[in-house]
Amino acid sequence: MDWFSGQEPATAMLNLSTATRIFVALEPVDMRKSFNGLYARVQSVLREEPTSGHWFVFTNKLRNRLKILFWDGSGLWVCAKRLEKGTFGWPSGEGASRCLRAEELTLLIHGIESTSRRRWHRV
């Protein structure tokens, strides 16, 4: 109960602040990895700090599973999703990871293809 309004608060267990960055690993990982394996991967391959509060997203070779690793201030979370049909439209690029906006992550998780509109206008 909310002390001031007397109503149940609307809670969002997983939410992103505008300061949260989302790093998507471009190379697939073994989905048997969990907290320690993904933590090590963030440090050694992505060269980021796992306890930064940013989100780190991984997929397998078949691109039908994904895991998200993030620190909430008191501990690590590992969230997983397995598709029953189809594959995730995984981004590509140079380097070990690519940064996504929150909207792009939402599309990725729901299996909707996303293309950047950063250069959509004609010159």
Side-chain angles (χ1 to χ4, degrees):
M1 275 273 182
D2 183 296
W3 177 260
F4 297 106
S5 69
Q7 296 179 7
E8 292 292 324
T11 58
M13 198 160 64
L14 304 176
N15 70 19
L16 290 165
S17 78
T18 55
T20 303
R21 293 177 66 193
I22 302 163
F23 295 93
V24 176
L26 298 179
E27 291 295 316
V29 299
D30 183 345
M31 282 291 119
R32 293 175 290 185
K33 292 184 185 296
S34 190
F35 297 96
N36 295 336
L38 295 175
Y39 188 99
R41 184 92 177 178
V42 169
Q43 288 182 315
S44 65
V45 177
L46 304 183
R47 305 257 185 240
E48 296 291 336
E49 177 52 46
T51 58
S52 63
H54 300 311
W55 288 26
F56 304 95
V57 187
F58 304 91
T59 191
N60 60 345
K61 284 183 182 178
L62 298 176
R63 292 186 302 141
N64 64 347
R65 296 172 189 239
L66 69 74
K67 286 190 176 180
I68 301 173
L69 176 76
F70 68 95
W71 174 262
D72 72 356
S74 65
L76 284 172
W77 283 77
V78 174
C79 301
K81 182 170 183 175
R82 178 185 71 200
L83 293 178
E84 296 302 319
K85 288 178 154 182
T87 60
F88 292 107
W90 213 253
S92 60
E94 298 294 319
S97 68
R98 183 163 162 218
C99 285
L100 295 183
R101 296 186 318 267
E103 307 82 41
E104 292 172 312
L105 177 63
T106 300
L107 293 174
L108 175 75
I109 289 171
H110 293 301
I112 301 169
E113 291 290 331
S114 166
T115 56
S116 177
R117 295 193 51 135
R118 292 184 182 142
R119 298 182 207 202
W120 64 270
H121 65 283
R122 292 184 189 179
V123 179

